[in-house]
Amino acid sequence: MPLYEVILLTRMGSAANMANMIKAMSSKITEEGGCVRNITNLGDRILTKARVKHLDKSKAKVVRYIAMQVDANPELKNKILKDALLHGDCIKTFAHKMTEMSYIKEVQRR
């Protein structure tokens, strides 16, 4: 299975909401046959343009970036991205394919 890095832009919420969202996504990924290698909080960022959440029409100017390294097939990756957007705190998602070498370099940096 290819290794993907899934980036989630989430609203600034409580730590409990973030933990519940990530636990739910991780359990769904493992149930579908994928594997979560690592979850990293990339920090809080101020956006130049406020993002509007499509479900409740609220605007977010400050967001939290969360990166998940996931072993998944392309269909599962697409399902992960769609399911994350259904969560109330997730504003935007995107993913890119990682090479094993870039993952090893990242692990060695820690």
Side-chain angles (χ1 to χ4, degrees):
M1 278 192 237
L3 174 65
Y4 291 101
E5 183 172 43
V6 177
I7 307 291
L8 307 171
L9 273 68
T10 61
R11 269 196 280 211
M12 296 296 296
S14 67
N17 285 348
M18 289 291 162
N20 289 337
M21 179 184 76
I22 291 176
K23 284 178 189 175
M25 287 183 63
S26 298
S27 64
K28 188 172 281 194
I29 290 168
T30 54
E31 286 173 4
E32 296 286 333
C35 177
V36 178
R37 289 193 188 187
N38 191 14
I39 300 170
T40 308
N41 182 354
L42 298 176
D44 304 334
R45 311 273 168 85
I46 298 173
L47 299 177
T48 56
K49 179 181 170 186
R51 289 267 182 194
V52 177
K53 176 68 175 155
H54 67 281
L55 294 177
D56 59 358
K57 304 293 186 218
S58 64
K59 292 185 178 182
K61 187 77 171 165
V62 179
V63 296
R64 177 168 290 149
Y65 280 72
I66 297 174
M68 298 176 70
Q69 283 86 27
V70 178
D71 282 321
N73 55 30
E75 293 84 23
L76 179 57
K77 179 211 41 139
N78 293 334
K79 188 174 181 181
I80 293 167
L81 297 177
K82 287 179 186 174
D83 289 348
L85 287 175
L86 295 177
H87 194 275
D89 288 335
C90 192
I91 296 171
K92 183 177 171 97
T93 61
F94 54 94
H96 66 278
K97 195 182 246 186
M98 290 179 72
T99 62
E100 281 295 320
M101 202 58 191
S102 64
Y103 178 74
I104 290 171
K105 285 180 182 177
E106 185 177 318
V107 169
Q108 289 175 344
R109 231 181 323 157
R110 290 185 218 154

